[in-house]
């Protein structure tokens, strides 16, 4: 849920499950500000948009999996959860994309059994500590102010790069300069996880 709170890094993470327009705007903003982020990609979406997956990889952003079908895991039998997670991971192998061992459950819904399946598949579940609620498409100012009030060292920020989040690129263009002014370094999940204390990796 968080990285090492003893350093000054925060991670911007984007969930992607449908659409192929807004994500290009977001990639342009990240490139404009010279920062790297982490994208959690839905497996079905990745199959339909391999060229965008490749574009994300070539821009040297981190890529993690967001399930295969974007359906909550909590209501599924465990064998179906494992099947869905395995299918998602297989997609990126077929696309020859070197994803990192990071996985985010659809809708963020997890429990101890799902953590156990993640261990079996050798992936690390990654949640978030701050969300901008960009999927609600409120005004840019209020979304930006929400992050400014809540973000601090080690935070993992949840954003969305699906077409439903129509204002995310504008919010991103506001919050990146703010984070830099606050002396917070924008890092990828791999950088936060590398520096995390071992006792911080496991939720109680």
């Amino acid at each position: 849920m968080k990285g090492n709170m003893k350093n000054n890094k925060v991670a911007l993470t984007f969930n992607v499950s449908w659409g192929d327009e807004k994500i290009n705007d977001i990639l342009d903003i990240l490139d404009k500000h010279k920062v790297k982020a982490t994208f959690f990609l839905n497996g079905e979406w990745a199959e339909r948009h391999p060229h965008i997956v490749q574009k994300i990889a070539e821009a040297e952003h981190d890529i993690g999996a967001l399930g295969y079908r974007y359906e909550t895991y909590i209501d599924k039998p465990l064998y179906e959860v494992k099947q869905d997670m395995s299918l998602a991971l297989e997609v990126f192998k077929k696309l020859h994309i070197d994803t990192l061992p990071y996985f985010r459950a659809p809708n963020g819904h997890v429990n101890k059994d799902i953590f156990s399946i993640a261990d079996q598949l050798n992936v690390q579940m990654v949640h978030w500590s701050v969300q901008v609620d960009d999927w609600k498409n409120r005004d840019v100012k209020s979304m930006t102010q929400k992050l400014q009030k809540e973000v601090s060292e080690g935070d993992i920020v949840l954003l969305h790069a699906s077409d439903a989040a129509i204002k995310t690129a504008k919010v991103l263009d506001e919050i990146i300069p703010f984070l830099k002014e606050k002396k917070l370094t924008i890092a990828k999940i791999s950088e936060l996880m590398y520096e995390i204390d071992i006792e911080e990796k496991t939720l109680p």
Side-chain angles (χ1 to χ4, degrees):
M1 293 184 68
K2 285 181 74 88
N4 192 328
M5 293 177 282
K6 298 176 183 177
N7 65 27
N8 67 335
K9 293 180 179 178
V10 299
L12 300 178
T13 69
F14 298 86
N15 285 2
V16 188
S17 58
W18 71 277
D20 60 357
E21 296 181 5
K22 297 303 177 184
I23 190 169
N24 289 302
D25 295 336
I26 288 167
L27 288 170
D28 288 344
I29 294 295
L30 292 171
D31 181 64
K32 168 187 170 182
H33 292 283
K34 308 300 181 187
V35 299
K36 303 298 180 184
T38 302
F39 289 82
F40 287 92
L41 308 179
N42 172 253
E44 285 188 319
W45 180 90
E47 286 180 325
R48 293 193 299 269
H49 305 287
H51 60 293
I52 303 180
V53 179
Q54 188 64 44
K55 183 177 180 180
I56 295 169
E58 290 176 353
E60 300 182 347
H61 299 293
D62 279 357
I63 294 177
L66 185 67
Y68 181 73
R69 297 180 180 86
Y70 197 81
E71 299 173 351
T72 183
Y73 285 162
I74 296 296
D75 300 328
K76 288 181 176 292
L78 293 179
Y79 77 91
E80 289 188 11
V81 173
K82 187 172 183 178
Q83 183 181 55
D84 187 88
M85 292 176 71
S86 298
L87 282 171
L89 297 172
E90 188 63 29
V91 166
F92 295 104
K93 289 182 181 179
K94 291 180 179 179
L95 293 177
H96 305 291
I97 296 294
D98 293 326
T99 55
L100 294 164
Y102 303 135
F103 204 103
R104 180 170 281 171
N107 299 313
H109 298 161
V110 292
N111 56 29
K112 290 183 178 179
D113 290 330
I114 295 169
F115 281 121
S116 178
I117 294 172
D119 287 340
Q120 295 171 30
L121 296 176
N122 295 313
V123 293
Q124 171 73 53
M125 299 299 291
V126 178
H127 200 61
W128 58 85
S129 52
V130 174
Q131 56 180 322
V132 181
D133 292 336
D134 54 333
W135 57 276
K136 294 181 180 179
N137 289 316
R138 299 183 301 173
D139 64 278
V140 172
K141 182 178 180 180
S142 65
M143 288 188 284
T144 301
Q145 289 176 338
K146 184 178 189 300
L147 179 131
Q148 291 173 342
K149 292 177 182 178
E150 298 180 8
V151 72
S152 61
E153 290 82 354
D155 273 325
I156 297 173
V157 181
L158 171 64
L159 295 150
H160 297 79
S162 295
D163 282 358
I166 60 177
K167 297 180 180 179
T168 301
K170 292 182 179 179
V171 172
L172 194 60
D173 209 19
E174 296 288 334
I175 64 177
I176 290 176
F178 167 78
L179 293 172
K180 290 182 176 181
E181 289 173 9
K182 198 173 178 180
K183 307 301 181 185
L184 292 170
T185 300
I186 299 171
K188 298 184 287 187
I189 285 293
S190 57
E191 295 168 314
L192 258 67
M193 296 298 287
Y194 178 77
E195 296 179 354
I196 198 170
D197 293 335
I198 191 67
E199 63 268 19
E200 293 178 313
K201 286 188 177 180
T202 305
L203 290 174

